[in-house]
Amino acid sequence: MQPVQVIFDCDPGKDDAFAIFLALACPQALSVVALTAVEGNVPVAYTTSNARRIVEAAGRPEIPVYRGCARPMLRPLLRKEQVQGAGGLDASGLPPQADPERPKHAISALIGLLEGAAEPLTIAAIGPLTNIAMLLIARPDLAGRIAHLYVMGGSEGPGNMGPYAEYNILIDPHAAASVFAMDVPATLVTLDHTRDLRPPMAWFESMAGFGAPGRALAAMWRAQPIALYDVAVTGLMLWPELFETQPCSVAVETCDTERMGQTRIARGEGPCRIVTGLDAETFYRRIVEAMACYAAPSSN
Ligand code: RIB
Ligand code: CA
């Protein structure tokens, strides 16, 4: 079985870092083609640099990282989610990036990668959807070159940025509405089944000896624990048997200021799918098993 060729569109962010470290720990299942960074948890200069720091810490400096959109399509820049810290990977201890940033913009890189790939590519979108929307607005024909779009975002129940909206969607609700209106096979991983993915600190400490990635994760969660929001997207790609999904349609509120960014999800039919359940305990166990690859090789 060939590994799935995947591009992470991300806004690192500690849970983004975890999602990418986990993907890179499973090269037999996922081949990470590139990272594209977007304005989200922190400014795009930081999300881009953080993405470089992540691939270098994972021993994969050859994976290209491209800087993407610096602001949402229409809305003003929102205050950053303080949970991630001012730099996005505060307390990680990850060294500054070694390789310089590539000059090509993420949209150009996505166009080139989708055009040039022998088979359609999978995209894991774990930040605001600005890059993906602008890509598909510029080149709607490339929707057919996306094998599957996994999105961490939205919620059926309450949001995490006020009562209605989830962070990724609220930062750029117009981008989200645009993407969900496109003809792209998409699966939504929402707050409803990720907000409680909060394993105990001992679980993170059990990975602290797993090289720079394990050390960084333990340090970041020791400083400020958050749910494994984005990690669930990687888990769904790696171990779909642990997740339940249903067909759905998604509408994004882009007019009512109070409900701005709310996702109205109708289950049962529609072009998308939504995660409706997961086996968290098995998920946690498999993560530790996968992340052990970063531990120093035994000396014997
Ligand atoms: O609401 C959770 C999402 O917002 C995650 O992607 C997290 O990284 C932040 O971007
Ligand atoms: Ca994110």
Side-chain angles (χ1 to χ4, degrees), residues 243-262:
F243 294 75
E244 293 161 17
T245 64
Q246 285 184 22
C248 72
S249 62
V250 187
V252 181
E253 180 59 59
T254 57
C255 299
D256 180 301
T257 48
E258 186 189 359
R259 291 175 176 265
M260 181 63 73
Q262 182 181 27

Side-chain angles (χ1 to χ4, degrees), residues 48-295:
T48 306
S49 174
N50 290 342
R52 272 256 35 99
R53 295 165 72 195
I54 291 162
V55 295
E56 290 171 7
R60 300 292 305 282
E62 80 284 1
I63 295 177
V65 172
Y66 300 99
R67 180 188 295 221
C69 296
R71 52 157 301 110
M73 288 173 72
L74 290 178
R75 275 175 60 82
L77 285 180
L78 199 66
R79 64 169 178 74
K80 301 300 161 219
E81 189 180 8
Q82 293 321 314
V83 162
Q84 299 279 4
L89 296 183
D90 295 3
S92 69
L94 291 180
Q97 71 183 85
D99 288 351
E101 182 177 317
R102 291 183 181 227
K104 186 180 286 187
H105 191 278
I107 308 299
S108 305
L110 284 165
I111 290 171
L113 289 166
L114 290 171
E115 281 183 329
E119 296 296 328
L121 297 176
T122 293
I123 297 179
I126 54 177
L129 288 167
T130 315
N131 285 344
I132 310 304
M134 298 305 279
L135 162 71
L136 293 172
I137 288 166
R139 291 287 305 273
D141 61 300
L142 292 179
R145 301 295 298 153
I146 299 174
H148 205 90
L149 174 66
Y150 293 94
V151 174
M152 192 284 136
S155 63
E156 293 183 278
N160 60 357
M161 293 294 285
Y164 303 109
E166 178 278 328
Y167 186 81
N168 285 339
I169 306 297
L170 180 61
I171 293 291
D172 199 341
H174 302 91
S178 173
V179 168
F180 292 130
M182 298 272 183
D183 186 16
V184 177
T187 298
L188 213 52
V189 181
T190 63
L191 279 183
D192 311 276
H193 296 282
T194 54
R195 66 189 336 142
D196 295 330
L197 290 179
R198 295 173 183 271
M201 196 54 225
W203 182 80
F204 288 92
E205 297 298 354
S206 76
M207 294 188 282
F210 293 175
R215 201 164 41 248
L217 296 179
M220 288 191 288
W221 261 261
R222 225 177 273 131
Q224 166 89 51
I226 71 169
L228 305 188
Y229 302 109
D230 296 341
V231 189
V233 169
T234 302
L236 177 57
M237 293 191 288
L238 286 172
W239 308 303
E241 68 276 12
L242 301 185
F243 294 75
E244 293 161 17
T245 64
Q246 285 184 22
C248 72
S249 62
V250 187
V252 181
E253 180 59 59
T254 57
C255 299
D256 180 301
T257 48
E258 186 189 359
R259 291 175 176 265
M260 181 63 73
Q262 182 181 27
T263 45
R264 285 191 291 279
I265 293 162
R267 291 191 189 186
E269 59 180 31
C272 300
R273 295 192 73 82
I274 183 170
V275 166
T276 54
L278 80 134
D279 174 353
E281 289 315 310
T282 305
F283 181 39
Y284 295 154
R285 189 172 65 251
R286 294 213 187 155
I287 290 175
V288 176
E289 289 166 358
M291 293 293 289
C293 75
Y294 292 114

